[in-house]
């Protein structure tokens, strides 16, 4: 029987195929007591398994490259955490087997993380994944994770750990669907980076039977169970048409009457540059430099390493804009050497620019590395700070940039409602704004972006969020400055039309979304974009805003 489930579409495209579930079985090793004389052997087994899993994660990272690589390397570090390992040893010394010691030590650490607040939900999934891998190795059973299959399939999971999303083979994995995870979660960002259709926060996903044929629409969030042959043919025809139109799309981002809105790429490092170029990115609108720092959370990467990575990205875009965001550490991206471990509420604590202003040496090194990397290159370098709250923040950042001798435009991300409301004051200090709608939604609705159950409030179609976007864009227009969007909102083609109508001047997104946004934007005039934006803002909820914009644009 045909049935439709609705989740949140986070990565465009249509996938039709059979369901394969992720191997997530929790392997609980027996709690048998081992004789004391066996402890050294068990210690050695545990150590060897940890090392092998860490090496495997690093190898997968090398294979995946880009943002995925940094995430996998962070997981490898997690596996080798000295405190965790010390706890494993203690447990083995009092009679645990290697597998039971690992299992219990990770459980204790997990409980600690979970009690530290919801913000750590994403890291808990990573930790469970590392534990499962080590325990599976010790028990000699297959690794949990991506199913073995020679046939293409649609992957279903409760949530996807970065280690798994990195391994998804686009030629085999037609798309994926998760029960948990929000539209701005790590998994969603990685899926877009890979260009695989994906739907997250789909209630009932884990109960869909293995082998069920499904049709996944990564744009609408609809997942059809057992679609009829006729429906499958229809969807395939629409998808093929869309694909052909997308392949034919090229050139700069603009409305049908020629209003230019540059379409830029979000990148995490040099590995993401080829996809940006293939999809016709007109530059980079967000270079998330913190991925270079996640390799080793105990210290900053050397200036030389930074220069090398920055230069590789900057030299790929001669004559183009490249907007580099300085290190955004803290909250969901903690770094041991910078982030306080005892904050009661890290998302509201010392993170982003606040961290850098407390560690001016780290900021100075990064800015100087950027200056050196850009030296002699024909790129238009722009540098921006994350989590700017007010004019003083913007001023302190601009001063640091000037003191580092940086020849670039300085800008501020608008991720905190106060910055959107007082954008004019901020523009007294910096030259451009970039709306980080992921965090802006999180702070506007007091809804943790990592919690799938709050997806309704993180929906960037929420009219309150659109009001804040309008407020920042109006201030930028009045000041003769630019105001782009680099949060995930920019990758939704219909929302991109609305953002253009609100006065946003550029859109930056995961590279695979660029052709979708380009094609949709090119269908409407600027006046239509403005009318759609007005209709969306006049609505009372995200669903209603989307429907209102759709209605205006379809001329109903
Ligand atoms: C944002 O918050 O919208 C943003 C672009 O930054 P990040 O997703 O890296 O926090
Ligand atoms: Mg942010």
């Amino acid at each position: 029987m045909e049935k439709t489930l609705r989740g949140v579409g986070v990565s465009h495209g249509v996938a039709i195929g059979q369901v394969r579930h992720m191997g997530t079985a929790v392997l609980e090793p027996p709690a048998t007591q081992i004789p004391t004389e066996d402890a050294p052997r068990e210690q050695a087994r545990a150590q060897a398994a940890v090392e092998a899993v860490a090496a495997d994660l690093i190898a997968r990272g090398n294979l995946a490259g880009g943002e995925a690589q940094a995430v996998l390397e962070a997981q490898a570090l997690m596996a080798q955490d000295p405190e965790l390992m010390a706890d494993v040893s203690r447990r083995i010394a009092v009679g645990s087997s290697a597998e039971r010691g690992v299992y219990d030590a990770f459980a204790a650490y997990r409980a600690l993380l979970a009690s530290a607040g919801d913000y750590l939900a994403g890291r808990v999934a990573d930790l469970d994944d590392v534990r499962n891998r080590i325990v599976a190795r010790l028990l000699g059973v297959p690794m949990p994770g991506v199913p073995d299959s020679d046939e293409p399939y649609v992957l279903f999971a409760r949530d996807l750990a970065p280690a798994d999303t990195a391994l998804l083979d686009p030629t085999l994995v037609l798309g994926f669907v998760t029960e948990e995870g929000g539209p701005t979660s790590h998994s969603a960002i990685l899926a877009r980076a890979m260009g695989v259709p994906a739907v997250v926060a789909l209630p009932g996903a884990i109960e869909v039977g293995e082998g069920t044929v499904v049709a996944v629409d990564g744009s609408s969030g609809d997942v059809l169970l057992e679609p009829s042959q006729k429906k499958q043919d229809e969807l395939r025809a629409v998808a093929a048409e869309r694909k052909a139109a997308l392949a034919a799309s090229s050139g700069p981002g603009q409305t049908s009457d020629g209003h230019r809105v540059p379409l830029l790429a979000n990148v995490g490092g040099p590995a993401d540059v080829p996809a940006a170029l293939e999809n016709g990115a007109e530059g980079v609108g967000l270079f998330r430099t913190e991925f270079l720092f996640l390799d080793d959370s105990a210290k900053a990467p050397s200036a030389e390493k930074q220069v090398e990575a920055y230069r590789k990205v900057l030299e790929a875009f001669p004559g183009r804009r490249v907007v580099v965001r300085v290190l955004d550490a803290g909250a969901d991206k903690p770094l041991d050497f910078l982030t306080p471990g005892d904050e009661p509420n890290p998302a509201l604590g010392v993170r982003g620019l606040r961290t850098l202003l407390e560690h001016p040496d780290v900021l100075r090194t990064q800015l100087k590395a950027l200056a050196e990397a850009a030296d002699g290159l024909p790129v238009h370098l722009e540098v921006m700070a994350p989590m700017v709250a007010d004019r003083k923040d913007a001023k302190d950042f601009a001063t640091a940039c000037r003191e580092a001798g940086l020849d670039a435009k300085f800008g501020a991300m608008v991720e905190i409602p106060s910055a959107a409301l007082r954008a004019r004051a901020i523009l007294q200090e910096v030259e451009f704004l970039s709306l980080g709608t992921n965090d802006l939604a999180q702070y506007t609705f007091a809804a943790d972006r990592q919690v799938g159950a709050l997806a309704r409030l993180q929906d960037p179609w929420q009219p309150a969020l659109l009001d804040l976007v309008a407020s920042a864009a109006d201030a930028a227009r009045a000041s003769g400055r630019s105001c782009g969007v680099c949060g995930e909102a920019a990758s939704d083609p219909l929302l991109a039309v609305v953002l253009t109508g609100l006065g946003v001047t550029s859109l930056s997104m995961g590279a695979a979304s660029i052709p979708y946004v380009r094609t949709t934007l090119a269908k409407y005039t600027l006046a239509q974009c403005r009318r759609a934006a007005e209709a969306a803002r006049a609505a009372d909820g995200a669903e209603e805003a989307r429907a209102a914009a759709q209605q205006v644009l379809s001329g109903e």
Side-chain angles (χ1 to χ4, degrees):
M1 253 284 279
E2 200 171 296
K3 186 176 165 198
T4 304
L5 301 177
R6 162 135 321 164
V8 180
V10 295
S11 187
H12 305 294
V14 171
I16 300 176
Q18 289 198 352
V19 173
R20 291 279 174 277
H21 283 274
M22 194 78 171
T24 50
V26 178
L27 311 146
E28 183 170 349
T32 40
Q33 195 71 9
I34 56 151
T36 329
E37 62 270 25
D38 288 349
R41 188 195 66 204
E42 293 300 293
Q43 301 279 14
R45 282 181 65 229
Q47 188 63 40
V50 162
E51 279 167 17
V53 166
D56 177 51
L57 288 165
I58 287 172
R60 284 159 182 257
N62 289 338
L63 209 71
E67 297 189 5
Q69 181 167 15
V71 175
L72 287 168
E73 286 175 358
Q75 263 194 310
L77 283 175
M78 215 181 245
Q80 294 168 300
D81 183 275
E83 274 184 40
L84 248 173
M85 280 315 293
D87 192 22
V88 172
S89 293
R90 269 194 301 276
R91 288 170 194 273
I92 294 176
V94 294
S96 284
S97 63
E99 43 272 42
R100 188 72 206 190
V102 168
Y103 188 83
D104 289 339
F106 272 72
Y109 192 48
R110 184 189 207 282
L112 207 73
L113 283 191
S115 68
D118 278 347
Y119 88 102
L120 283 167
R123 297 190 69 82
V124 165
D126 297 357
L127 189 76
D128 284 350
D129 178 60
V130 172
R131 182 215 42 201
N132 289 346
R133 285 170 194 279
I134 302 172
V135 171
R137 180 169 286 272
L138 285 164
L139 291 174
V141 298
M143 290 287 162
V146 176
D148 281 335
S149 173
D150 297 332
E151 294 295 316
Y153 60 89
V154 178
L155 184 68
F156 270 55
R158 180 175 292 285
D159 204 354
L160 285 168
D164 301 317
T165 41
L167 271 194
L168 296 180
D169 175 353
T171 62
L172 217 49
V173 178
L174 301 165
F176 67 72
V177 174
T178 64
E179 174 118 7
E180 300 287 340
T184 60
S185 63
H186 234 109
S187 289
I189 292 172
L190 287 171
R192 277 187 287 258
M194 286 173 54
V196 180
V199 172
V200 299
L202 186 92
I206 50 168
E207 276 132 42
V208 176
E210 186 86 0
T212 307
V213 174
V214 291
V216 179
D217 186 334
S219 303
S220 67
D222 283 349
V223 176
L224 262 70
L225 307 187
E226 301 290 7
S228 63
Q229 194 55 49
K230 184 164 165 273
K231 188 76 193 167
Q232 287 187 41
D233 294 344
E234 259 171 46
L235 286 169
R236 281 207 177 90
V238 173
E241 226 172 82
R242 236 196 267 175
K243 216 170 162 187
L246 289 172
S249 106
S250 62
Q254 54 188 337
T255 59
S256 62
D257 54 344
H259 171 73
R260 294 286 312 275
V261 185
L263 303 180
L264 311 167
N266 289 355
V267 303
D272 293 330
V273 165
L277 295 173
E278 275 160 32
N279 285 289
E282 297 172 63
V284 169
L286 169 63
F287 179 178
R288 287 184 163 101
T289 57
E290 57 277 6
F291 284 96
L292 303 172
F293 285 69
L294 292 178
D295 276 10
D296 177 359
S297 91
K299 60 176 184 341
S302 68
E304 296 73 46
K305 192 173 165 202
Q306 291 190 49
V307 173
E308 195 191 337
Y310 301 150
R311 199 166 170 94
K312 279 191 188 142
V313 174
L314 296 178
E315 66 192 4
F317 295 93
R320 303 285 192 173
R321 280 173 75 188
V322 174
V323 185
V324 180
R325 172 172 76 186
V326 292
L327 176 63
D328 184 22
D332 55 337
K333 290 173 275 196
L335 290 178
D336 291 349
F337 75 105
L338 291 177
T339 311
D342 55 355
E343 289 185 315
N345 201 341
L348 303 180
V350 181
R351 59 162 299 196
L353 178 64
R354 301 165 188 181
T355 303
L356 293 174
L357 295 178
E358 283 202 1
H359 296 269
D361 48 320
V362 175
L363 179 58
R364 199 177 313 116
T365 305
Q366 187 173 25
L367 294 172
K368 282 186 175 296
L370 272 169
E372 192 180 330
D375 192 30
L377 291 181
V379 66
H380 298 298
L381 176 63
E382 304 190 7
V383 182
M384 66 182 180
M387 298 290 294
V388 170
D390 62 3
R391 181 170 176 174
K392 180 174 183 324
D393 272 353
K395 184 173 185 185
D396 289 351
F397 176 62
T399 305
C401 289
R402 270 184 222 108
E403 283 175 3
L406 202 56
D407 179 17
K409 274 193 182 178
F410 316 139
M413 284 189 77
V414 176
E415 304 186 275
I416 305 177
S418 58
L421 294 168
R422 304 304 296 254
R424 229 178 225 253
I426 287 171
L427 283 168
Q428 301 293 310
E429 308 294 344
V430 292
E431 292 176 85
F432 70 94
L433 300 177
S434 181
L435 285 145
T437 47
N438 308 336
D439 276 314
L440 191 57
Q442 158 162 272
Y443 294 117
T444 303
F445 296 97
D448 191 320
R449 60 192 275 192
Q450 297 186 89
V451 177
L454 302 179
R456 181 182 79 79
L457 294 171
Q458 296 141 359
D459 189 328
W461 280 94
Q462 282 280 359
L465 187 75
L466 300 180
D467 285 350
L468 289 173
V469 170
S471 165
D474 287 348
R477 191 183 315 109
S479 315
R481 306 292 199 195
S482 62
C483 176
V485 170
C486 66
E488 298 306 308
S491 65
D492 172 341
L494 192 63
L495 188 49
V497 168
V498 164
L499 295 171
T500 301
L502 291 173
V504 156
T505 55
S506 64
L507 297 162
S508 190
M509 64 205 84
S513 298
I514 291 177
Y516 290 89
V517 171
R518 184 195 289 121
T519 328
T520 304
L521 194 60
K523 286 188 196 158
Y524 306 107
T525 62
L526 179 58
Q528 281 178 302
C529 297
R530 288 189 177 137
R531 280 201 294 279
E534 261 170 47
R537 280 184 76 190
D540 283 330
E543 277 293 325
E544 293 89 336
R546 192 182 283 115
Q550 186 83 69
Q551 194 177 7
V552 166
L553 295 173
S554 61
E556 283 166 26

